[in-house]
Amino acid sequence: MVDMNTLISLQSTIFLLILAGYIMTRAGILPVSARGALSDLVIDFIMPCNIIVSFLIDLDREILVSCLTVFAVSVCIQIAAVLAGGRLYPGTDEGERAVLKYATIVSNAGFLGNPVAQGLYGDIGLLYASIYLIPIRIFMWSSGISCFSGTKGKNVIKKVLTHPCIIAVMIGLVLMLAQATLPSWIETPLRTAGNCNTALSMIVIGNILAEINFRDVVSKKVLWYCFVRLLLIPVTVFFCCRAVGTGGTVNGVSTVLAGMPAPATVAILAAKYHGDEHFAVKIVFLSTLLSLVTIPGLCLFMAWF
C-alpha cells in the first residue's frame, strides 16, 4: 500500500517543480527555445542513468517473474489502446483524431511516470516502470507514428533498439542478471545524474504549459480524452490485473502508469506531420494538470480495494 504522506509529498514536489518551470518560462528565464535541448538531456542522458541504477538490485525469482508480468501487462494495454483508439473519439476531424489516437496509445509514462513510480514504490517501482515502458517505446515508433504519417515507418526496429532508454534497460538487465557490482566511480555519477530526473522532467512540463492560453483549453473533446486517459484506462487495467491474479506493486505500477497524461511528443509530431498541434497542446496541458488530482485518486482507489 502506498503511504499517503509519501504521495502527498510527491505530488507537492511535482506541482512545485512544474510551477517553477512555468514561472521561469513566463519570466523569460527559461526560454521556449531551450525545451528541445532540455528534453534531449533528460531522455538521452538523465533518464538512462536513472534506469540503469534501478536495475542494481539483488535478483530473485519473484522479481524476475514480476518483471515478465509487467511486460505482459504493458503489451496487452498497448494492443488494447491501438484497437480502441480509433473508436473512442467519434465526430472528430482528421487532425484531432490523429492526435487523440496517438495520445491514447502513448502516454507520458516515461517523462512523468518514472519519477512517480520511483516516488511511490522506490527503486523496485522504477525497475518495473522501466520494463513497462519497453512496449510503449515500440508502439510509439510504429502504431503511434502511423497515426500521423499513415505508414508504419521503415526504421521502426532501428529506432526502438537505438533509443537511449531502451539501451539503458538492456544494460540494466545484463547487470541485474549477472548480479554485477559497478565500481563506485561509475555508480556514483550514474546515481547523481539520475537523481536529476524528477526535477528536470517536471520543469520541462512547466515550460510546455507556459505556452497555453487557459481560456481556450476546456472543451468536450478534451475533457472526454482526459477521462479516457486518466480514469477509464487505468481503472480498467486495475480490475483486469486483479481478475488474472496480479496484485501488489506490479498492479500498482501498471495502474498508475496507465493513468499518465498525454505526452509532450504528441504536439511535436502533430506539428511535424501537419496534425492539429494546437489541439495537441491543449490535451497535454489539461491532462497533465488533472493528473495532479487523478494520480493520488488512483492510489486511494487502489488502497480501498
Side-chain angles (χ1 to χ4, degrees):
M1 180 180 295
V2 176
D3 180 76
M4 291 310 298
N5 289 329
T6 300
L7 179 60
I8 293 171
S9 176
L10 176 63
Q11 288 299 107
S12 299
T13 299
I14 288 174
F15 174 77
L16 291 175
L17 287 171
I18 291 175
L19 181 62
Y22 178 89
I23 292 174
M24 286 191 292
T25 303
R26 299 291 289 185
I29 300 171
L30 181 65
V32 173
S33 59
R35 183 186 308 157
L38 281 177
S39 298
D40 290 342
L41 175 63
V42 171
I43 294 173
D44 296 342
F45 178 66
I46 302 296
M47 199 174 289
C49 289
N50 205 18
I51 289 171
I52 291 173
V53 169
S54 73
F55 281 86
L56 300 179
I57 61 174
D58 294 330
L59 178 65
D60 57 34
R61 182 179 181 277
E62 182 180 353
I63 291 176
L64 186 59
V65 170
S66 295
C67 286
L68 294 174
T69 303
V70 169
F71 183 86
V73 169
S74 182
V75 169
C76 292
I77 292 172
Q78 295 309 115
I79 293 174
V82 171
L83 295 176
R87 298 173 175 82
L88 289 170
Y89 310 106
T92 54
D93 59 43
E94 185 177 351
E96 292 176 341
R97 191 178 305 113
V99 167
L100 291 167
K101 287 173 64 178
Y102 177 89
T104 302
I105 297 170
V106 183
S107 72
N108 207 356
F111 225 66
L112 181 59
N114 271 1
V116 170
Q118 186 176 26
L120 293 175
Y121 300 103
D123 286 343
I124 194 67
L126 179 58
L127 170 63
Y128 293 163
S130 302
I131 298 297
Y132 180 96
L133 283 167
I134 296 175
I136 290 182
R137 303 294 184 194
I138 295 172
F139 278 79
M140 174 189 293
W141 295 116
S142 52
S143 299
I145 291 294
S146 70
C147 294
F148 293 102
S149 65
T151 62
K152 297 299 181 181
K154 299 178 180 179
N155 300 314
V156 171
I157 295 177
K158 180 180 178 181
K159 286 182 177 180
V160 170
L161 294 180
T162 57
H163 192 285
C165 290
I166 297 297
I167 293 174
V169 168
M170 299 308 170
I171 293 173
L173 281 172
V174 171
L175 293 173
M176 185 177 70
L177 293 174
Q179 288 293 274
T181 301
L182 293 177
S184 60
W185 61 271
I186 293 179
E187 182 176 343
T188 300
L190 286 175
R191 288 189 181 276
T192 302
N195 288 338
C196 300
N197 184 44
T198 301
L200 284 178
S201 297
M202 298 309 107
I203 288 171
V204 170
I205 290 175
N207 178 266
I208 293 171
L209 300 185
E211 289 189 285
I212 302 296
N213 185 339
F214 298 149
R215 292 174 297 180
D216 298 333
V217 169
V218 179
S219 69
K220 290 182 179 179
K221 295 176 184 177
V222 175
L223 287 173
W224 172 244
Y225 167 78
C226 290
F227 171 77
V228 170
R229 176 76 269 169
L230 301 177
L231 294 175
L232 180 61
I233 293 176
V235 170
T236 301
V237 169
F238 175 79
F239 283 115
C240 287
C241 285
R242 286 285 296 272
V244 299
T246 300
T249 304
V250 170
N251 193 352
V253 170
S254 299
T255 299
V256 169
L257 293 187
M260 288 294 116
T265 51
V266 67
I268 298 171
L269 290 174
K272 180 176 180 179
Y273 291 104
H274 309 292
D276 193 335
E277 59 186 289
H278 298 292
F279 180 73
V281 173
K282 291 178 184 179
I283 68 169
V284 170
F285 168 75
L286 192 58
S287 63
T288 301
L289 183 64
L290 292 178
S291 71
L292 296 175
V293 177
T294 58
I295 290 173
L298 285 173
C299 292
L300 287 173
F301 170 78
M302 290 188 288
W304 290 336
F305 285 89

